[in-house]
Amino acid sequence: MSQQLTIKIIMRHACLIFFLAVTSTTHLDSRFFAAEATLEQLKVDLGSSNAKVRRKAASELGKTKNREAVQPLLSAATDRDVSVREEVVKSLGLLKDQEAITMLLTTIKDPADSVREESIIALVNLYADRDAVWVVTRTAKKVYRTINPFSDQVGDEATVIEAYVQVAPMVIDSIADRLVDSNLAVRLDAAKALGVLRARPATPRMIDAMKTGDTNLRIAVLRSLYKIRDT
């Protein structure tokens, strides 16, 4: 092999190594910038004409734990698609920003049963410890938290907010309004939520709700009254 050919081979190898190094660096940089743009991209996706894209964006925004996600979610709370509104409300609960209260007091009256349910859970989440995660298990086993504040173990401290937490009266009133909701599941969630929030001012309305004749609701109210009694 001639010296000239050897030099050409060495040069080709050197060029190949340089090319691979540049490509790898560019790939890492692009991934870095993509990660940086995630929040902004989710905001854009929230305005997509595709409901599935909007729903996914709403869900992911809640997981960011970024306060900048609150305003876009508040704007999407009246989305025409029920599933999108559900995810928006869930994410507002996950972000635990008190700025969401006013909107959640509106969504708790949403025409869709599922949105009203999620609104109750989200309101509970706003008053939970910043590091706590809360859960409600539906009949369909739809779970989106890991700790259950609606536990049947009455008196378990994990099932109530801290005693020093002050819940806004309008929040208690709005949840108590759902004790006479047209949907039983919503009524049950409202009864349980009032116990979690130690909502003593709602006691008279809870007692009235026990007169409806539904056994499950009476049990839920009794458990919540037991929690309130211990506060």
Side-chain angles (χ1 to χ4, degrees):
M1 181 182 295
S2 67
Q3 184 177 4
Q4 186 176 9
L5 181 58
T6 301
I7 292 174
K8 286 183 178 181
I9 293 174
I10 292 173
M11 289 298 291
R12 286 177 182 175
H13 286 176
C15 288
L16 179 60
I17 292 171
F18 176 75
F19 174 77
L20 291 174
V22 171
T23 302
S24 177
T25 302
T26 301
H27 179 61
L28 289 174
D29 288 344
S30 65
R31 284 194 300 175
F32 172 77
F33 287 116
E36 288 290 300
T38 296
L39 181 60
E40 293 305 314
Q41 184 57 54
L42 290 173
K43 291 179 183 179
V44 172
D45 290 347
L46 200 55
S48 170
S49 59
N50 188 316
K52 290 183 178 179
V53 174
R54 298 199 304 277
R55 182 172 66 248
K56 177 68 173 177
S59 176
E60 293 301 317
L61 281 169
K63 298 173 185 177
T64 66
K65 304 295 184 180
N66 192 321
R67 194 172 186 279
E68 291 184 19
V70 175
Q71 280 301 325
L73 286 168
L74 290 176
S75 298
T78 56
D79 193 281
R80 61 185 177 277
D81 187 276
V82 173
S83 65
V84 175
R85 297 201 300 277
E86 285 180 30
E87 293 302 328
V88 166
V89 169
K90 287 181 187 179
S91 288
L92 287 173
L94 285 173
L95 292 171
K96 299 178 183 291
D97 194 304
Q98 296 289 309
E99 191 176 347
I101 288 180
T102 301
M103 180 55 72
L104 290 174
L105 294 182
T106 297
T107 58
I108 202 173
K109 302 174 185 176
D110 193 278
D113 298 341
S114 58
V115 177
R116 297 199 301 280
E117 284 188 85
E118 299 298 349
S119 297
I120 291 172
I121 300 167
L123 284 168
V124 171
N125 271 281
L126 292 185
Y127 291 96
D129 182 86
R130 287 295 303 180
D131 297 324
V133 278
W134 299 72
V135 64
V136 63
T137 304
R138 307 252 180 257
T139 303
K141 307 299 182 183
K142 181 181 179 183
V143 180
Y144 76 98
R145 304 286 189 278
T146 58
I147 297 177
N148 187 0
F150 297 162
S151 169
D152 290 342
Q153 298 176 5
V154 179
D156 184 347
E157 282 306 306
T159 68
V160 292
I161 61 173
E162 296 292 343
Y164 62 81
V165 177
Q166 298 295 312
V167 181
M170 58 185 176
V171 170
I172 293 176
D173 287 343
S174 292
I175 294 177
D177 286 344
R178 295 302 104 200
L179 288 171
V180 292
D181 194 274
S182 59
N183 182 278
L184 176 59
V186 176
R187 298 200 297 274
L188 289 172
D189 279 350
K192 295 171 184 178
L194 291 170
V196 174
L197 295 176
R198 302 176 186 261
R200 187 176 296 277
T203 299
R205 299 176 68 179
M206 295 170 72
I207 294 174
D208 285 342
M210 294 179 65
K211 302 173 184 177
T212 62
D214 184 85
T215 302
N216 290 326
L217 182 59
R218 287 201 298 271
I219 292 172
V221 170
L222 279 172
R223 285 173 173 157
S224 287
L225 288 173
Y226 188 95
K227 294 177 182 179
I228 293 171
R229 186 197 67 176
D230 288 341
T231 60

